[in-house]
Amino acid sequence: DALALRYTLLPYYYTNFWKSHTSGAPVIRPLFYNFPTEEALFDEQNTFMVGDGLLVRPVIDQGASSVSVVLPPQTQWYDFNTGAMMPATSSSSISVDVPVTMSSIPVYLRGGVIIPTKHRLRRSSAGMAFDPYTLHVALDADGRASGSVFADDSLSFDYQQGLYTDRTFTFLGGELTNRPSPTVAGVPDPASTTYVSTNKIDRIL
């Protein structure tokens, strides 16, 4: 299950490595990076963020049957595996005891984000190259969400010539739209090239 989850999340990781390349933002982050005003999170050692959208609580104790998951405040969280809405956080973080097994890793979607995934099980990442995307839309308290998808040929340095696609998806007012992501200074604009991604979106969750 953990290996399948890793492959499922590859598009999200790939997009975040692009963001790291263009902005310097880390892919794996302590909680205080995304919640810098929450002093209670400064010492949190067991939970981390992947990009802006995923909170992960790895199981590090042998034989553990449950773990305590810290959910930062003023944010709606969703169980990534089930889509279930977690207890709402208000002005302070909450800690939730979550049962775990040898094959489970607590992962949570942050409300207000859209993350790209691929769910067809393959033997390698190369076998996933042309698979369709599934978008996970996690709404915030106002019913909004946004996120982006980056794609290139995954093999060459052609992205340096603008041969890539970078799209921002937005859910607002019950409608999902997408547009080119804002360009970054010093990064080639893909609009000036002929790169076309053949990947489609076949599911929205």
Side-chain angles (χ1 to χ4, degrees):
D1 290 347
L3 187 60
L5 178 61
R6 174 191 174 190
Y7 277 88
T8 294
L9 291 173
L10 280 180
Y12 180 64
Y13 271 95
Y14 201 64
T15 297
N16 274 281
F17 273 106
W18 169 250
K19 292 179 180 178
S20 180
H21 169 70
T22 56
S23 71
V27 177
I28 307 297
R29 311 166 177 182
L31 294 187
F32 65 76
Y33 182 92
N34 285 91
F35 303 92
T37 62
E38 299 303 319
E39 294 186 15
L41 301 178
F42 290 0
D43 293 330
E44 174 57 37
Q45 302 292 316
N46 296 321
T47 309
F48 59 87
M49 296 290 295
V50 179
D52 289 324
L54 285 182
L55 181 146
V56 182
R57 178 26 169 122
V59 181
I60 55 177
D61 295 321
Q62 183 176 0
S65 59
S66 67
V67 294
S68 180
V69 180
V70 175
L71 299 177
Q74 299 179 346
T75 306
Q76 181 61 64
W77 297 96
Y78 301 84
D79 187 305
F80 177 80
N81 294 303
T82 67
M85 186 180 297
M86 301 301 293
T89 61
S90 54
S91 60
S92 60
S93 301
I94 64 172
S95 182
V96 180
D97 287 329
V98 178
V100 294
T101 66
M102 285 291 291
S103 61
S104 65
I105 303 173
V107 180
Y108 299 90
L109 276 166
R110 182 182 182 180
V113 304
I114 298 174
I115 72 166
T117 61
K118 291 184 177 181
H119 285 262
R120 295 182 182 178
L121 296 180
R122 303 293 189 184
R123 295 180 182 273
S124 69
S125 58
M128 302 168 60
F130 303 107
D131 285 351
Y133 291 105
T134 293
L135 297 182
H136 291 255
V137 180
L139 302 181
D140 64 13
D142 297 320
R144 303 178 180 182
S146 64
S148 62
V149 180
F150 171 84
D152 63 358
D153 65 11
S154 303
L155 299 171
S156 71
F157 291 96
D158 287 350
Y159 68 88
Q160 295 178 342
Q161 282 71 51
L163 290 171
Y164 66 89
T165 184
D166 186 10
R167 308 288 298 185
T168 293
F169 290 82
T170 302
F171 186 90
L172 178 63
E175 182 179 14
L176 181 66
T177 60
N178 83 91
R179 65 185 188 282
S181 297
T183 56
V184 179
V187 177
D189 184 354
S192 62
T193 69
T194 57
Y195 179 81
V196 177
S197 174
T198 59
N199 300 93
K200 301 183 183 299
I201 297 172
D202 70 344
R203 287 197 300 170
I204 300 173
L205 302 178

